[in-house]
Amino acid sequence: MSRTRTTSDVLVVGGGIIGLVTAWRAAQRGLRTAVADPEPGGGAARVAAGMLAAVTELHYGEETLLGLNLASARRYPGFVAELAEATGGMDVGYRACGTLAVALDADDRAHLRELHALQTRCGLASEWLSGRECRRLEPMLAPGVRGGLRVDGDHQVDPRRLADALVVACERAGVVFHRSLAERLTVVRDRAAGAVLADGTEPAAEQVVLAAGSMSGRLAGVPEKVLPPVRPVKGQVLRLRVPPAYAPFLSRTVRAVVRGSHVYLVPRENGELVVGATSEELGWDTTVTAGGVYELLRDAHELVPGITELPLTETRAGLRPGSPDNAPLLGPSALPGLHLATGHYRNGVLLTPVTGDVMAEALTTGTLPDEARPFTARRFSPAHLEHA
Ligand code: GLY
Protein backbone atom coordinates (compact mmCIF):
# COMPACT_ATOMS: atom_id res chain seq x y z
CA MET A 1 0.00 0.00 0.00
CA SER A 2 1.29 3.46 -0.91
CA ARG A 3 1.63 5.67 2.16
CA THR A 4 2.09 8.97 0.32
CA ARG A 5 2.04 11.91 2.70
CA THR A 6 1.35 15.29 1.19
CA THR A 7 0.95 18.24 3.49
CA SER A 8 -1.35 21.20 3.18
CA ASP A 9 -2.64 23.89 5.50
CA VAL A 10 -6.21 22.66 5.14
CA LEU A 11 -7.69 19.32 4.10
CA VAL A 12 -11.42 19.43 3.39
CA VAL A 13 -13.12 16.03 3.71
CA GLY A 14 -16.02 16.13 1.25
CA GLY A 15 -16.24 17.88 -2.11
CA GLY A 16 -19.92 18.79 -2.25
CA ILE A 17 -20.83 22.46 -2.54
CA ILE A 18 -20.10 23.16 1.15
CA GLY A 19 -16.66 21.51 1.04
CA LEU A 20 -15.86 23.17 -2.28
CA VAL A 21 -16.85 26.68 -1.23
CA THR A 22 -14.81 26.27 1.95
CA ALA A 23 -11.78 25.12 -0.06
CA TRP A 24 -12.16 27.88 -2.64
CA ARG A 25 -12.42 30.65 -0.06
CA ALA A 26 -9.55 29.20 2.00
CA ALA A 27 -7.30 28.98 -1.07
CA GLN A 28 -8.18 32.55 -2.03
CA ARG A 29 -6.88 33.61 1.38
CA GLY A 30 -3.52 32.01 0.73
CA LEU A 31 -3.99 28.69 2.53
CA ARG A 32 -2.59 25.59 0.78
CA THR A 33 -5.82 23.64 0.48
CA ALA A 34 -6.77 20.11 -0.54
CA VAL A 35 -10.13 18.35 -0.94
CA ALA A 36 -10.70 14.60 -0.53
CA ASP A 37 -13.68 13.26 -2.48
CA PRO A 38 -14.01 10.54 -5.14
CA GLU A 39 -16.34 12.78 -7.17
CA PRO A 40 -15.88 16.47 -6.40
CA GLY A 41 -19.04 18.41 -7.22
CA GLY A 42 -21.28 15.45 -6.37
CA GLY A 43 -23.49 14.93 -3.35
CA ALA A 44 -26.89 16.38 -2.48
CA ALA A 45 -26.41 19.38 -4.81
CA ARG A 46 -26.83 17.03 -7.81
CA VAL A 47 -30.42 16.44 -6.64
CA ALA A 48 -31.42 19.73 -4.96
CA ALA A 49 -33.78 22.16 -6.68
CA GLY A 50 -31.77 25.20 -5.60
CA MET A 51 -34.44 27.37 -4.00
CA LEU A 52 -33.00 30.24 -1.98
CA ALA A 53 -36.00 30.19 0.32
CA ALA A 54 -35.03 32.13 3.46
CA VAL A 55 -38.50 33.67 3.78
CA THR A 56 -40.85 30.97 2.47
CA GLU A 57 -39.10 28.19 4.47
CA LEU A 58 -39.16 30.14 7.75
CA HIS A 59 -40.24 28.03 10.74
CA TYR A 60 -41.18 28.87 14.31
CA GLY A 61 -38.18 28.75 16.60
CA GLU A 62 -35.69 29.15 13.76
CA GLU A 63 -35.23 32.93 13.94
CA THR A 64 -31.47 32.58 14.59
CA LEU A 65 -31.09 30.42 11.51
CA LEU A 66 -33.14 33.02 9.61
CA GLY A 67 -30.43 35.60 10.30
CA LEU A 68 -27.77 33.36 8.73
CA ASN A 69 -30.06 32.44 5.81
CA LEU A 70 -30.76 36.11 5.06
CA ALA A 71 -27.07 37.00 5.33
CA SER A 72 -26.30 34.32 2.75
CA ALA A 73 -29.18 35.31 0.45
CA ARG A 74 -27.88 38.90 0.43
CA ARG A 75 -24.43 37.67 -0.61
CA TYR A 76 -25.70 35.62 -3.57
CA PRO A 77 -25.52 38.24 -6.37
CA GLY A 78 -21.94 39.19 -5.48
CA PHE A 79 -20.97 35.56 -4.93
CA VAL A 80 -22.30 34.51 -8.33
CA ALA A 81 -20.51 37.40 -10.05
CA GLU A 82 -17.24 36.53 -8.31
CA LEU A 83 -17.63 32.89 -9.26
CA ALA A 84 -18.24 33.83 -12.90
CA GLU A 85 -15.07 35.90 -12.89
CA ALA A 86 -13.03 33.17 -11.21
CA THR A 87 -14.17 30.52 -13.71
CA GLY A 88 -13.91 32.46 -16.96
CA GLY A 89 -17.63 33.15 -17.14
CA MET A 90 -19.44 30.05 -15.83
CA ASP A 91 -23.14 30.82 -15.32
CA VAL A 92 -24.69 29.10 -12.30
CA GLY A 93 -28.29 29.86 -13.25
CA TYR A 94 -28.99 32.41 -10.53
CA ARG A 95 -32.49 33.71 -11.21
CA ALA A 96 -34.00 36.57 -9.19
CA CYS A 97 -37.50 35.33 -9.90
CA GLY A 98 -39.20 35.39 -6.48
CA THR A 99 -41.58 32.77 -5.05
CA LEU A 100 -45.32 32.33 -4.66
CA ALA A 101 -46.48 30.08 -1.80
CA VAL A 102 -50.13 29.14 -2.28
CA ALA A 103 -52.95 27.45 -0.39
CA LEU A 104 -55.31 24.87 -1.89
CA ASP A 105 -57.84 24.58 0.93
CA ALA A 106 -58.95 26.27 4.15
CA ASP A 107 -56.36 24.41 6.28
CA ASP A 108 -53.52 25.40 3.93
CA ARG A 109 -54.76 28.96 3.99
CA ALA A 110 -54.78 29.04 7.79
CA HIS A 111 -51.22 27.65 7.76
CA LEU A 112 -50.09 30.32 5.28
CA ARG A 113 -51.76 33.06 7.32
CA GLU A 114 -49.70 31.90 10.33
CA LEU A 115 -46.55 31.91 8.23
CA HIS A 116 -47.37 35.40 7.00
CA ALA A 117 -47.81 36.63 10.58
CA LEU A 118 -44.44 35.13 11.54
CA GLN A 119 -42.76 36.67 8.50
CA THR A 120 -44.27 40.06 9.32
CA ARG A 121 -43.08 39.84 12.95
CA CYS A 122 -39.58 39.08 11.63
CA GLY A 123 -39.72 42.16 9.37
CA LEU A 124 -39.69 40.14 6.14
CA ALA A 125 -41.21 41.29 2.85
CA SER A 126 -44.18 39.05 2.04
CA GLU A 127 -47.52 40.08 0.54
CA TRP A 128 -50.86 38.28 1.00
CA LEU A 129 -52.70 37.70 -2.30
CA SER A 130 -56.19 36.40 -3.07
CA GLY A 131 -56.55 33.29 -5.23
CA ARG A 132 -57.44 35.48 -8.19
CA GLU A 133 -54.33 37.63 -7.69
CA CYS A 134 -52.19 34.47 -7.50
CA ARG A 135 -53.61 33.24 -10.82
CA ARG A 136 -53.08 36.64 -12.41
CA LEU A 137 -49.38 36.29 -11.57
CA GLU A 138 -49.18 32.62 -12.57
CA PRO A 139 -51.99 31.70 -15.00
CA MET A 140 -51.11 27.98 -14.93
CA LEU A 141 -52.17 27.69 -11.27
CA ALA A 142 -55.22 25.56 -10.51
CA PRO A 143 -58.54 27.44 -10.36
CA GLY A 144 -59.01 26.17 -6.78
CA VAL A 145 -56.06 28.10 -5.33
CA ARG A 146 -57.45 29.95 -2.27
CA GLY A 147 -54.76 32.55 -1.69
CA GLY A 148 -51.04 32.86 -1.33
CA LEU A 149 -47.94 34.73 -0.28
CA ARG A 150 -45.88 36.65 -2.79
CA VAL A 151 -42.26 36.70 -1.68
CA ASP A 152 -40.19 38.62 -4.19
CA GLY A 153 -36.90 38.03 -2.37
CA ASP A 154 -36.73 34.19 -2.49
CA HIS A 155 -34.83 33.31 -5.65
CA GLN A 156 -33.12 30.24 -7.16
CA VAL A 157 -29.82 28.95 -8.48
CA ASP A 158 -28.97 25.74 -10.38
CA PRO A 159 -27.06 23.61 -7.83
CA ARG A 160 -25.46 21.35 -10.46
CA ARG A 161 -24.00 24.31 -12.28
CA LEU A 162 -22.99 25.82 -8.96
CA ALA A 163 -21.12 22.64 -8.02
CA ASP A 164 -19.40 22.47 -11.43
CA ALA A 165 -18.34 26.11 -11.19
CA LEU A 166 -16.97 25.62 -7.68
CA VAL A 167 -14.81 22.71 -8.88
CA VAL A 168 -13.32 24.94 -11.60
CA ALA A 169 -12.88 27.88 -9.21
CA CYS A 170 -11.06 25.57 -6.77
CA GLU A 171 -8.80 24.22 -9.51
CA ARG A 172 -7.94 27.71 -10.68
CA ALA A 173 -7.23 28.80 -7.10
CA GLY A 174 -4.73 25.95 -6.72
CA VAL A 175 -6.80 23.56 -4.60
CA VAL A 176 -5.43 19.99 -4.80
CA PHE A 177 -8.05 17.27 -5.38
CA HIS A 178 -7.53 13.80 -3.89
CA ARG A 179 -10.14 11.85 -5.86
CA SER A 180 -10.65 9.18 -3.23
CA LEU A 181 -12.92 8.61 -0.25
CA ALA A 182 -11.67 9.69 3.19
CA GLU A 183 -11.99 6.55 5.32
CA ARG A 184 -10.48 7.72 8.58
CA LEU A 185 -9.44 10.92 10.28
CA THR A 186 -5.78 10.93 11.28
CA VAL A 187 -5.31 12.10 14.86
CA VAL A 188 -1.81 12.77 16.14
CA ARG A 189 -1.23 13.76 19.77
CA ASP A 190 -4.93 14.57 20.26
CA ARG A 191 -5.05 16.80 17.20
CA ALA A 192 -6.61 16.26 13.74
CA ALA A 193 -3.72 15.91 11.32
CA GLY A 194 -5.13 14.66 7.99
CA ALA A 195 -6.99 11.65 6.70
CA VAL A 196 -6.44 8.12 5.42
CA LEU A 197 -8.01 7.72 1.97
CA ALA A 198 -9.40 4.63 0.25
CA ASP A 199 -6.55 4.74 -2.30
CA GLY A 200 -4.02 4.26 0.51
CA THR A 201 -2.72 7.82 0.53
CA GLU A 202 -2.63 9.81 3.77
CA PRO A 203 -2.75 13.53 3.06
CA ALA A 204 -1.61 15.47 6.11
CA ALA A 205 -2.83 18.93 7.04
CA GLU A 206 -2.55 21.53 9.78
CA GLN A 207 -6.35 21.79 9.89
CA VAL A 208 -9.09 19.44 8.69
CA VAL A 209 -12.63 20.45 7.75
CA LEU A 210 -15.31 17.78 7.95
CA ALA A 211 -17.77 18.72 5.20
CA ALA A 212 -19.06 15.31 4.17
CA GLY A 213 -22.78 16.17 4.14
CA SER A 214 -25.01 13.40 5.45
CA MET A 215 -21.92 11.15 5.90
CA SER A 216 -20.28 13.58 8.33
CA GLY A 217 -21.54 11.71 11.38
CA ARG A 218 -19.70 8.51 10.59
CA LEU A 219 -16.07 9.24 9.67
CA ALA A 220 -13.90 6.69 11.45
CA GLY A 221 -11.22 8.09 13.72
CA VAL A 222 -13.32 11.05 14.89
CA PRO A 223 -13.75 10.65 18.66
CA GLU A 224 -17.32 9.68 19.56
CA LYS A 225 -18.03 12.91 21.44
CA VAL A 226 -16.80 14.99 18.51
CA LEU A 227 -18.80 13.27 15.75
CA PRO A 228 -21.40 15.77 14.52
CA PRO A 229 -25.05 14.72 15.13
CA VAL A 230 -25.92 14.63 11.44
CA ARG A 231 -28.34 12.16 9.86
CA PRO A 232 -29.51 11.54 6.29
CA VAL A 233 -32.99 12.83 5.35
CA LYS A 234 -34.02 11.49 1.98
CA GLY A 235 -35.55 13.74 -0.66
CA GLN A 236 -36.95 12.52 -3.96
CA VAL A 237 -36.98 15.09 -6.75
CA LEU A 238 -38.32 15.05 -10.32
CA ARG A 239 -37.18 16.97 -13.36
CA LEU A 240 -39.54 17.84 -16.22
CA ARG A 241 -38.97 19.85 -19.36
CA VAL A 242 -41.09 22.73 -20.57
CA PRO A 243 -41.09 22.62 -24.40
CA PRO A 244 -40.68 26.09 -25.98
CA ALA A 245 -44.30 26.02 -27.17
CA TYR A 246 -45.47 25.90 -23.50
CA ALA A 247 -43.21 28.70 -22.26
CA PRO A 248 -43.48 30.67 -20.07
CA PHE A 249 -45.06 27.90 -18.06
CA LEU A 250 -44.28 29.41 -14.64
CA SER A 251 -42.33 32.61 -14.13
CA ARG A 252 -41.34 32.08 -10.49
CA THR A 253 -41.04 29.26 -7.95
CA VAL A 254 -44.48 28.03 -6.89
CA ARG A 255 -44.90 26.03 -3.71
CA ALA A 256 -47.48 24.75 -1.26
CA VAL A 257 -48.01 22.44 1.67
CA VAL A 258 -50.38 19.72 0.45
CA ARG A 259 -51.69 17.27 3.08
CA GLY A 260 -48.74 18.23 5.28
CA SER A 261 -46.05 17.65 2.60
CA HIS A 262 -44.04 20.38 0.95
CA VAL A 263 -44.22 20.48 -2.82
CA TYR A 264 -42.44 23.03 -4.95
CA LEU A 265 -42.01 23.71 -8.66
CA VAL A 266 -38.85 25.55 -9.64
CA PRO A 267 -38.78 26.79 -13.26
CA ARG A 268 -35.34 27.36 -14.77
CA GLU A 269 -34.67 29.78 -17.59
CA ASN A 270 -33.40 26.87 -19.74
CA GLY A 271 -36.81 25.12 -19.62
CA GLU A 272 -36.07 22.65 -16.83
CA LEU A 273 -38.84 22.40 -14.23
CA VAL A 274 -37.78 20.84 -10.94
CA VAL A 275 -40.46 19.31 -8.71
CA GLY A 276 -39.56 18.44 -5.13
CA ALA A 277 -39.38 16.99 -2.63
CA THR A 278 -40.22 14.15 -0.31
CA SER A 279 -38.78 14.16 3.20
CA GLU A 280 -38.12 10.66 4.48
CA GLU A 281 -36.20 9.35 7.49
CA LEU A 282 -34.99 6.10 5.91
CA GLY A 283 -31.29 6.06 6.67
CA TRP A 284 -29.02 5.71 3.66
CA ASP A 285 -31.70 4.59 1.22
CA THR A 286 -31.70 6.55 -2.06
CA THR A 287 -34.22 4.45 -3.97
CA VAL A 288 -36.63 6.37 -6.16
CA THR A 289 -40.01 4.82 -5.33
CA ALA A 290 -43.24 4.69 -7.25
CA GLY A 291 -44.96 6.11 -4.16
CA GLY A 292 -42.57 9.07 -3.93
CA VAL A 293 -42.95 9.94 -7.60
CA TYR A 294 -46.73 9.47 -7.40
CA GLU A 295 -47.09 11.79 -4.40
CA LEU A 296 -44.95 14.51 -5.93
CA LEU A 297 -46.82 14.38 -9.24
CA ARG A 298 -50.20 14.19 -7.50
CA ASP A 299 -49.47 17.23 -5.31
CA ALA A 300 -47.82 19.21 -8.12
CA HIS A 301 -50.77 18.40 -10.37
CA GLU A 302 -53.19 19.79 -7.78
CA LEU A 303 -51.25 23.05 -7.87
CA VAL A 304 -50.51 23.26 -11.58
CA PRO A 305 -52.67 20.77 -13.54
CA GLY A 306 -50.78 21.40 -16.80
CA ILE A 307 -47.66 19.62 -15.58
CA THR A 308 -49.04 16.27 -16.73
CA GLU A 309 -48.46 17.45 -20.34
CA LEU A 310 -44.71 17.89 -19.79
CA PRO A 311 -42.01 15.31 -20.52
CA LEU A 312 -40.61 13.74 -17.33
CA THR A 313 -36.82 13.71 -17.80
CA GLU A 314 -35.37 12.54 -14.49
CA THR A 315 -36.22 11.09 -11.11
CA ARG A 316 -33.62 11.06 -8.35
CA ALA A 317 -33.20 10.89 -4.59
CA GLY A 318 -30.60 12.61 -2.42
CA LEU A 319 -29.75 12.83 1.27
CA ARG A 320 -30.02 16.09 3.17
CA PRO A 321 -27.61 16.37 6.11
CA GLY A 322 -30.12 16.86 8.94
CA SER A 323 -29.12 18.18 12.36
CA PRO A 324 -31.10 18.12 15.64
CA ASP A 325 -32.17 21.80 15.31
CA ASN A 326 -32.19 21.98 11.48
CA ALA A 327 -29.26 24.44 11.53
CA PRO A 328 -25.70 23.82 10.34
CA LEU A 329 -22.64 23.04 12.42
CA LEU A 330 -19.90 25.51 11.61
CA GLY A 331 -16.38 26.18 12.84
CA PRO A 332 -14.16 24.52 15.42
CA SER A 333 -15.02 21.21 17.07
CA ALA A 334 -13.93 19.87 20.45
CA LEU A 335 -10.95 18.18 18.73
CA PRO A 336 -8.14 20.68 18.07
CA GLY A 337 -7.44 21.06 14.36
CA LEU A 338 -10.86 19.71 13.31
CA HIS A 339 -13.50 22.11 11.98
CA LEU A 340 -17.05 21.30 10.95
CA ALA A 341 -19.03 22.59 7.97
CA THR A 342 -22.01 20.29 7.86
CA GLY A 343 -25.64 19.72 8.90
CA HIS A 344 -27.07 22.30 6.47
CA TYR A 345 -30.25 20.21 6.08
CA ARG A 346 -32.74 22.05 3.79
CA ASN A 347 -30.53 25.11 3.33
CA GLY A 348 -27.23 23.89 1.88
CA VAL A 349 -27.51 25.74 -1.41
CA LEU A 350 -28.76 28.92 0.25
CA LEU A 351 -26.01 28.84 2.90
CA THR A 352 -23.14 28.19 0.48
CA PRO A 353 -21.84 31.79 0.22
CA VAL A 354 -21.89 32.57 3.94
CA THR A 355 -20.43 29.16 4.83
CA GLY A 356 -17.44 29.77 2.56
CA ASP A 357 -16.84 33.17 4.12
CA VAL A 358 -17.11 32.18 7.76
CA MET A 359 -15.09 28.98 7.35
CA ALA A 360 -12.26 30.77 5.53
CA GLU A 361 -12.18 33.39 8.28
CA ALA A 362 -12.05 30.74 11.01
CA LEU A 363 -9.34 28.77 9.20
CA THR A 364 -7.24 31.85 8.51
CA THR A 365 -7.56 33.80 11.77
CA GLY A 366 -8.71 31.18 14.28
CA THR A 367 -11.82 33.29 14.98
CA LEU A 368 -15.31 32.45 13.81
CA PRO A 369 -17.22 35.57 12.66
CA ASP A 370 -20.07 36.73 14.89
CA GLU A 371 -22.85 35.63 12.51
CA ALA A 372 -21.65 32.01 12.75
CA ARG A 373 -21.06 31.84 16.52
CA PRO A 374 -24.53 30.42 17.35
CA PHE A 375 -23.81 27.51 15.01
CA THR A 376 -20.79 25.80 16.55
CA ALA A 377 -21.11 22.17 17.69
CA ARG A 378 -20.83 23.42 21.28
CA ARG A 379 -24.58 23.87 21.38
CA PHE A 380 -24.99 20.08 21.35
CA SER A 381 -22.32 19.28 23.94
CA PRO A 382 -23.69 17.70 27.14
CA ALA A 383 -22.20 20.46 29.35
CA HIS A 384 -23.83 23.16 27.23
CA LEU A 385 -27.19 21.39 27.15
CA GLU A 386 -27.12 21.00 30.96
CA HIS A 387 -26.77 24.76 31.38
CA ALA A 388 -29.07 25.76 28.56
N1 GLY B 1 -35.08 23.23 0.75
C1 GLY B 1 -35.79 22.30 0.00
C2 GLY B 1 -35.68 20.90 0.44
O1 GLY B 1 -34.85 20.58 1.26
O2 GLY B 1 -36.44 20.09 -0.03
Side-chain angles (χ1 to χ4, degrees):
M1 194 209 299
S2 149
R3 298 183 67 82
T4 318
R5 290 190 72 85
T6 53
T7 302
S8 50
D9 296 319
V10 176
L11 173 67
V12 181
V13 172
I17 51 175
I18 295 299
L20 291 171
V21 77
T22 300
W24 179 42
R25 291 311 202 187
Q28 281 183 317
R29 299 191 50 166
L31 298 174
R32 290 170 305 138
T33 305
V35 171
D37 194 302
E39 279 180 54
R46 305 266 21 131
V47 181
M51 288 181 301
L52 307 175
V55 178
T56 41
E57 287 205 5
L58 177 63
H59 290 100
Y60 280 104
E62 294 185 1
E63 289 81 356
T64 311
L65 175 59
L66 171 68
L68 194 69
N69 285 343
L70 289 173
S72 206
R74 278 193 295 273
R75 287 175 208 203
Y76 243 99
F79 174 73
V80 162
E82 210 185 322
L83 202 46
E85 194 175 324
T87 57
M90 286 176 80
D91 173 4
V92 298
Y94 177 70
R95 187 177 182 193
C97 57
T99 296
L100 185 63
V102 301
L104 286 167
D105 61 26
D107 284 353
D108 300 342
R109 193 164 57 178
H111 167 86
L112 266 196
R113 285 277 191 202
E114 290 281 315
L115 176 62
H116 190 219
L118 178 61
Q119 290 166 337
T120 306
R121 276 202 299 283
C122 292
L124 302 170
S126 169
E127 183 190 358
W128 182 265
L129 301 182
S130 67
R132 184 174 301 185
E133 287 168 326
C134 289
R135 281 188 301 280
R136 203 173 298 138
L137 274 186
E138 294 296 341
M140 296 304 285
L141 279 174
V145 163
R146 306 278 291 266
L149 290 176
R150 175 179 177 164
V151 177
D152 286 344
D154 275 3
H155 303 315
Q156 61 156 301
V157 70
D158 185 334
R160 292 179 180 175
R161 289 159 78 182
L162 175 63
D164 293 345
L166 283 168
V167 171
V168 173
C170 281
E171 283 168 347
R172 289 188 171 199
V175 172
V176 172
F177 282 103
H178 301 284
R179 290 175 196 271
S180 181
L181 186 71
E183 290 191 328
R184 165 173 287 276
L185 181 75
T186 310
V187 179
V188 177
R189 286 188 289 279
D190 293 328
R191 190 182 164 88
V196 180
L197 309 188
D199 66 4
T201 59
E202 295 183 22
E206 297 296 323
Q207 304 187 81
V208 178
V209 179
L210 179 50
S214 58
M215 312 243 286
S216 301
R218 61 178 205 179
L219 180 64
V222 179
E224 188 69 29
K225 68 177 191 341
V226 179
L227 270 177
V230 173
R231 68 184 197 285
V233 183
K234 177 179 173 182
Q236 301 190 47
V237 175
L238 317 176
R239 282 172 163 78
L240 294 83
R241 190 169 49 77
V242 178
Y246 286 62
F249 190 77
L250 294 175
S251 62
R252 73 201 70 223
T253 295
V254 169
R255 58 184 302 155
V257 179
V258 183
R259 286 175 287 271
S261 300
H262 289 270
V263 63
Y264 44 78
L265 292 88
V266 182
R268 304 245 194 269
E269 259 160 4
N270 64 8
E272 184 176 77
L273 179 67
V274 186
V275 178
T278 64
S279 187
E280 302 164 79
E281 302 270 358
L282 288 175
W284 304 99
D285 173 56
T286 52
T287 315
V288 174
T289 63
V293 174
Y294 165 71
E295 281 169 28
L296 287 172
L297 287 176
R298 181 196 62 197
D299 295 350
H301 173 256
E302 279 188 38
L303 274 189
V304 179
I307 62 150
T308 48
E309 305 294 319
L310 305 179
L312 175 64
T313 54
E314 193 184 316
T315 59
R316 203 152 159 183
L319 299 173
R320 305 175 184 89
S323 77
D325 61 3
N326 301 334
L329 293 97
L330 301 172
S333 72
L335 180 69
L338 180 68
H339 288 257
L340 304 176
T342 187
H344 290 68
Y345 188 40
R346 299 181 72 95
N347 295 309
V349 180
L350 171 60
L351 289 173
T352 294
V354 77
T355 298
D357 293 347
V358 303
M359 293 306 296
E361 181 74 11
L363 291 164
T364 315
T365 67
T367 304
L368 195 63
D370 286 347
E371 69 254 50
R373 296 248 172 101
F375 301 102
T376 66
R378 245 191 103 241
R379 69 189 191 274
F380 299 122
S381 70
H384 185 79
L385 290 172
E386 262 167 37
H387 294 107

